[in-house]
Amino acid sequence: MTVSRIWVYAEATDGNVATTTLELLAKANELADTVECVTAAGADVATELGAHGATKVYTVGGTDGKLVGPTVAGAIAAAVEGGNAPDAIFIATSYGGRDVAGRLSVKLDAPVITNVVDIAERDGALVGTEPVFGGTTDVVTGFTGDKVGIFLVRPKSFVPAEDPSGAAAATEEIAPGDLGNTNAATVTNRFVEEKSGPSLDDAAIVVSGGRGLGEQDKYQLIEDLAKALGAAPGASRAIVDAGWVPYSYQVGQTGKVVKPTVYIAAGISGATQHLVGMKGSKNIIAINKDDAAPIFSVADLGIVGDVHKVLPALLEALQNR
Amino acid sequence: MNVVVCVKQIPDPADPGALDPNTKTLKRDVKLILDESDSYGVEMALQLVDTAGGGEVTLVSMAPNSEVGGLRTALAMGAAKAVLVSDEALAGSDALGTSKVLAKAIERAGEADLIITATESSDGYTGTVPEQIAELMGLPSITFAKSIAVEGGTVKVQRQTEAGYDDVEAPTPAVVSVTAGVVEPRYPSFKGIMAAKSKPVDEVTVADLGIDASQVGWAGAGQEILEIAAAEEREAGTIVEDDGEGFQKIVDYLAELKVI
Ligand SMILES: Cc1cc2nc3c(=O)[nH]c(=O)nc-3n(C[C@H](O)[C@H](O)[C@H](O)COP(=O)(O)OP(=O)(O)OC[C@H]3O[C@@H](n4cnc5c(N)ncnc54)[C@H](O)[C@@H]3O)c2cc1C
Ligand SMILES: Nc1ncnc2c1ncn2[C@@H]1O[C@H](COP(=O)(O)O)[C@@H](O)[C@H]1O
């Protein structure tokens, strides 16, 4: 058996295709001759998806004001049961993506390979690589049956095509069977947290603070430093849980995966769950008063010192440049 | 109001296990504790029942060797009773197999208005179990809850999003997964710890739940680990003690990288 057809679950916000979707498309095109998408974002995204190598986009309607999981999974399952089955489906680890993967897994009675950072072909089938123990160990997992292979892939695992030039994809609507009330969850309001400056996703520099800052007010040091560097401010989960900064700042396994040119970790111990979110950064600078902190094991430059001394001095030096 | 909370019992993360190279699963010969991720769900459930002014919290767990260490902690916090599924046939279960077992165990726990899980467990972190349970039970679900309120047959949730949060509601019964840190889990009191010792734990096997053993464990797992390898290591960096000039080292490094 070879891998001939892969589907990518495509997400978009306000008509803009998510970067994670483009990442998945790049990998899917490397692995299969035919790459197609499934989306709940409407037929308009077919142009951009086509440019990135999708030849067809299956659209799923009826998700406006709903959480997408049950409906999208239902439509994919109906297509598969109707004989239109890909070899595998790539889904990004996003809020909606996880929901789709879990629901689909039950509908197809097929397992999901999760936390995937790489996908490869081995003996004619696809296998996924998952990092464990803070990225020190790689586990390669494959499917034992011949069901559709569901892969739940971490953001920033692949690089989107540099020169997207494919023709717009054809579109076809697919619909779910009876959903009962599984899709009854309804969105009544959306709240967007104001955040200025570059985002964690795109910033060339990320400056993150952790519990070592001592108190909430001291996070201002991180914000100031980020501003001086044109960087995005980030955080460990410890201070997100403590309510110092919003969840959207969190870097790590349950937060953002970042891969900037420079990552600065201040007062962060380097727990495995934090490391998996930033270990892929090109250059890592760590400031921690404990010379045995695990963060130093991934640092290119480590300063064993007090953040309350090093950060203000650094800020002053940058502002004087 | 009755709430079922799925709680995973895991090896103490402070004393992490290792992957057994023969069976390719986490070695689990240590005593298990309550997954911290689930302590938030337990606290949330206790508060919801309190607010409703009646009902109880029932725990559901699947764990090897009749393990109750983590369940006792949650019972000491205030949960009323527990269903524990423990069966040798479960060794090697993947997330889908686990969900099939949990869904049946939840049904056994009695009528529930709400089923609470964590968004992901600390050791497995597939994050798919909540949706898999919901689909198996034919229920609506809301994942990534920051807060939960139940009012007359409707559960209202603030659901974390990429940009902030959404207000989402669903009719009960529903499955809701809660994120960490949303409530402050209480410490069990001495009285609670004593009381927990005599709270009922209904221990059942796969057969008791009417599940065919071929659906779970190694037999039912549709995936297998093919290889475990050390990841590529980062090159060792320069670590220096701050002598008051540490900041300058950072400035020089940033300049060298041409980002300032
Ligand atoms: C399922 C699960 C998912 C998780 N997901 C994430 C995630 O996405 N992201 C994440 O970050 N964490 C995550 N965690 C939590 C993670 O395990 C750690 O608890 C967390 O990263 C610790 O944050 P911290 O480094 O800020 O705090 P600590 O571990 O408390 O470290 C503080 C550090 O600051 C240093 N320090 C103290 N004072 C000073 C000073 N004056 N100057 C310099 N250094 C100082 C200390 O030496 C210490 O190393 C997760 C945990 C679980 C169980
Ligand atoms: N063996 C288990 N027993 C009880 N609950 C579980 C078990 N496995 C997973 N769960 C629940 O499902 C959540 C998500 O788990 P996971 O999908 O493994 O990340 C956990 O945080 C628990 O609330």
Side-chain angles (χ1 to χ4, degrees), chain B residues 3 36 40 47 66 77 95 104 143 153 157 172 205 208 222 245:
Chain B
V3 183
E36 190 204 329
Y40 304 101
Q47 290 184 12
S66 305
M77 286 172 72
K104 288 283 184 219
T143 46
V157 165
T172 59
T205 62
D208 292 334
E245 293 295 313

Side-chain angles (χ1 to χ4, degrees), chain A residues 131-192:
Chain A
V132 297
F133 303 136
T136 54
T137 305
D138 284 334
V139 175
V140 178
T141 306
F143 295 104
T144 55
D146 51 6
K147 305 255 171 71
V148 177
I150 310 171
F151 290 90
L152 203 43
V153 186
R154 288 179 159 278
K156 292 209 164 62
S157 296
F158 310 119
V159 182
E162 262 179 32
D163 175 28
S165 55
T171 61
E172 179 182 330
E173 198 168 323
I174 55 172
D178 182 13
L179 294 172
N181 81 333
T182 56
N183 70 336
T186 309
V187 180
T188 55
N189 246 318
R190 292 187 191 277
F191 294 87
V192 175

Side-chain angles (χ1 to χ4, degrees), chain A residues 210-212 235-239 250-255 267-271 273-274 287-290 293 305-308, chain B residues 37 120-122:
Chain A
R211 186 145 47 197
S236 72
R237 189 171 103 179
I239 71 168
Q250 185 172 315
V251 172
Q253 182 181 305
T254 33
I268 293 178
S269 61
Q273 298 92 350
H274 189 79
I287 307 156
N288 195 303
K289 68 173 185 192
D290 173 9
D306 185 345
V307 286
H308 302 115
Chain B
S37 302
E120 58 179 28
S121 59
S122 300

Side-chain angles (χ1 to χ4, degrees), chain A residues 67 70 95-96 98-99 101-103 105-107 109-115 122 127 130-133 135-145 152 154 181-182 184-193 201 205 229 237 241 247-248 253-254 256 261-262 264 273 279-285 287 296-306 309-310 313-314 317-318 321, chain B residues 16-19 26 36-37 40 94 96 99-100 119-122 124-128 131-136 138-144 146 159-173 180-182 215 221-244 246-251 253-255 257 259-260:
Chain A
L67 300 187
Y95 296 94
R98 262 195 183 178
D99 288 2
R103 293 267 176 187
S105 157
V106 171
K107 288 196 177 280
D109 197 30
V112 187
I113 298 184
T114 50
N115 291 299
R122 209 184 261 202
V127 298
E130 172 189 359
V132 297
F133 303 136
T136 54
T137 305
D138 284 334
V139 175
V140 178
T141 306
F143 295 104
T144 55
L152 203 43
R154 288 179 159 278
N181 81 333
T182 56
T186 309
V187 180
T188 55
N189 246 318
R190 292 187 191 277
F191 294 87
V192 175
E193 276 155 8
D201 286 320
I205 308 180
L229 288 166
R237 189 171 103 179
D241 286 358
Y247 169 77
S248 56
Q253 182 181 305
T254 33
K256 289 270 180 194
T261 309
V262 183
I264 305 179
Q273 298 92 350
K279 202 177 164 232
S281 305
K282 283 198 198 69
N283 302 282
I284 297 172
I285 302 175
I287 307 156
F296 287 129
S297 71
V298 299
D300 299 291
L301 173 62
I303 307 292
V304 182
D306 185 345
K309 295 201 178 104
V310 179
L314 175 59
L318 290 170
R321 269 173 76 92
Chain B
L19 283 173
L26 268 180
E36 190 204 329
S37 302
Y40 304 101
D94 60 9
L96 182 56
S99 303
K100 288 175 182 171
T119 48
E120 58 179 28
S121 59
S122 300
Y125 53 91
T126 78
T128 56
E131 284 296 290
Q132 286 168 324
I133 292 175
E135 184 65 27
L136 285 159
L139 296 177
S141 58
I142 308 175
T143 46
F144 290 93
K146 288 163 34 113
R159 179 183 197 249
Q160 208 167 275
T161 62
E162 214 36 59
Y165 67 91
D166 287 350
D167 281 333
V168 184
E169 49 185 66
T172 59
V182 291
Q215 288 272 299
Q223 51 183 296
E224 65 176 339
I225 292 180
L226 302 171
E227 187 186 319
I228 298 171
E232 214 178 296
E233 275 187 50
R234 284 185 76 95
E235 249 175 75
T238 315
I239 313 294
V240 294
E241 197 80 37
D242 179 35
D243 52 3
F247 75 91
Q248 191 59 45
K249 296 244 164 37
I250 299 178
V251 174
Y253 187 61
L254 293 173
L257 295 172
V259 293
I260 54 170

Side-chain angles (χ1 to χ4, degrees), chain A residues 51-133:
Chain A
H52 283 266
T55 48
K56 193 164 201 180
V57 174
Y58 297 98
T59 59
V60 182
T63 58
D64 287 352
K66 299 258 182 203
L67 300 187
V68 294
T71 314
V72 171
I76 295 173
V80 168
E81 277 149 22
N84 185 8
D87 298 309
I89 300 185
F90 294 178
I91 301 174
T93 310
S94 63
Y95 296 94
R98 262 195 183 178
D99 288 2
V100 170
R103 293 267 176 187
L104 184 61
S105 157
V106 171
K107 288 196 177 280
L108 298 179
D109 197 30
V112 187
I113 298 184
T114 50
N115 291 299
V116 170
V117 296
D118 197 11
I119 304 175
E121 188 171 333
R122 209 184 261 202
D123 304 329
L126 293 178
V127 298
T129 301
E130 172 189 359
V132 297
F133 303 136

